[in-house]
């Protein structure tokens, strides 16, 4: 959590400094009252942002769920509240890739699987003008995540079974980046997103067969992710 607050503090400081630097050159843009956008992003594993393997040891067997690169895409709607504050809401499809692993002292079993999660982010976003058509933006809020169904993959010796705990759980989402607005209509955004999930959405049971004996362990889902996102505004 300290990393999360540090990131937020740095973004606010950057916003304050840019306001001082560009106060005389920036002009107000006429933002539409309601704006629609298309968004896509790439998710990266990162130990700095807690996007790391979830690992446990039981009876000499090491069980782990290793996150891989994933993607997200969807749409957003932005409601203008003032010249600096806007409310954003959207619907995203989050596709995460993992390796389910069970390793004994003599053998390692691995199976790849993918989870598909629906997200509904609701963010309060602050905008700071840094030029005629450039803005810094910082948004934070709640991100509701939902897993529509259970997931199971198996290869005969290794079985990975993900069972949802509930239909939806809340998480925290912060997004910061730079926007470029066209003079007539439309615009672009590129930035970083960091999602923290304090409540597990599902549990994953890994069952492995070593020397003819089935061993299993249940790992809770860690849904934190760090991503680079891009957005195109339709106006």
């Amino acid at each position: 959590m300290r990393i999360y607050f540090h990131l937020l503090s740095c973004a606010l400081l950057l916003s304050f400094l840019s306001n001082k630097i560009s106060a005389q050159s920036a002009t107000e843009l006429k933002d539409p009252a309601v704006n629609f956008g298309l968004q896509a992003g790439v998710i990266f594993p990162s130990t700095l942002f807690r996007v790391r393997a979830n690992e446990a040891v039981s009876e000499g067997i090491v069980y782990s769920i290793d996150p891989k690169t994933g993607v997200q895409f969807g749409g957003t709607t932005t409601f203008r509240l003032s010249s600096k504050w806007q409310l954003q809401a959207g619907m995203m499809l989050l596709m995460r890739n993992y390796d389910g692993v069970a390793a004994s002292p003599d053998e390692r079993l691995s199976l790849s699987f993918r989870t598909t999660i629906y997200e509904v982010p609701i963010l309060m976003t602050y905008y700071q003008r840094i030029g005629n058509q450039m803005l810094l933006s910082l948004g934070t809020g709640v991100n509701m995540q939902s897993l529509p169904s259970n997931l199971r993959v198996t290869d005969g010796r290794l079985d990975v079974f993900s069972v949802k705990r509930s239909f939806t759980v809340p998480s925290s989402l912060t997004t910061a980046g730079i926007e470029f607005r066209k003079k007539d209509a439309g615009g672009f955004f590129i930035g970083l997103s960091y999602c923290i999930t304090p409540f597990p959405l599902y549990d994953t049971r890994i069952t492995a067969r070593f020397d003819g004996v089935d061993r299993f362990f249940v790992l809770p889902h860690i849904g934190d992710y760090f991503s680079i996102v891009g957005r195109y505004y339709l106006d």
Side-chain angles (χ1 to χ4, degrees):
M1 291 299 292
R2 287 192 304 172
I3 294 175
Y4 170 72
F5 287 115
H6 179 69
L7 181 66
L8 184 60
S9 300
C10 290
L12 288 173
L13 179 60
L14 180 61
S15 175
F16 174 77
L17 292 176
S18 12
N19 182 34
K20 294 296 182 181
I21 294 173
S22 61
Q24 310 218 341
S25 61
T27 59
E28 293 294 323
L29 297 177
K30 295 181 179 179
D31 297 322
V34 180
N35 200 354
F36 300 96
L38 300 176
Q39 179 172 309
V42 180
I43 300 168
F44 298 97
S46 170
T47 55
L48 177 63
F49 292 95
R50 294 205 320 147
V51 187
R52 59 181 185 272
N54 184 14
E55 186 176 281
V57 181
S58 176
E59 298 181 345
I61 307 297
V62 179
Y63 301 90
S64 68
I65 299 175
D66 302 333
K68 304 299 179 183
T69 303
V71 296
Q72 68 169 179
F73 51 89
T76 63
T77 303
T78 303
F79 303 92
R80 177 168 55 85
L81 304 179
S82 69
S83 61
K84 292 185 178 295
W85 293 95
Q86 296 187 2
L87 180 67
Q88 290 184 342
M91 173 71 76
M92 300 291 167
L93 185 64
L94 185 68
M95 304 179 72
R96 304 283 307 267
N97 297 307
Y98 300 92
D99 283 343
V101 179
S104 71
D106 302 319
E107 190 175 9
R108 182 180 186 273
L109 304 178
S110 177
L111 194 60
S112 298
F113 66 99
R114 169 182 290 176
T115 61
T116 300
I117 295 174
Y118 292 94
E119 296 184 316
V120 179
I122 302 175
L123 308 178
M124 184 65 70
T125 303
Y126 174 79
Y127 286 88
Q128 176 59 58
R129 315 274 178 181
I130 57 174
N132 291 338
Q133 296 170 257
M134 300 284 291
L135 306 94
L136 283 175
S137 70
L138 173 66
T140 187
V142 65
N143 185 25
M144 302 300 299
Q145 294 188 329
S146 178
L147 183 70
S149 62
N150 299 331
L151 169 71
R152 189 168 197 169
V153 292
T154 183
D155 64 0
R157 291 195 58 194
L158 186 64
D159 182 90
V160 178
F161 188 27
S162 299
V163 181
K164 60 183 180 180
R165 288 193 181 186
S166 59
F167 177 73
T168 184
V169 296
S171 61
S172 171
L173 181 65
T174 298
T175 300
I178 297 178
E179 293 191 12
F180 173 80
R181 300 286 179 82
K182 296 180 180 178
K183 291 184 178 181
D184 48 359
F188 302 90
F189 167 86
I190 185 167
L192 306 175
S193 286
Y194 183 35
C195 182
I196 299 175
T197 56
F199 310 106
L201 179 59
Y202 59 87
D203 294 317
T204 298
R205 171 172 169 155
I206 301 178
T207 303
R209 177 167 294 180
F210 293 105
D211 299 325
V213 178
D214 286 342
R215 311 285 184 85
F216 72 91
F217 195 83
V218 178
L219 292 170
H221 170 65
I222 298 178
D224 297 5
Y225 67 81
F226 168 75
S227 64
I228 298 177
V229 298
R231 187 184 306 140
Y232 175 70
Y233 288 105
L234 303 175
D235 279 352

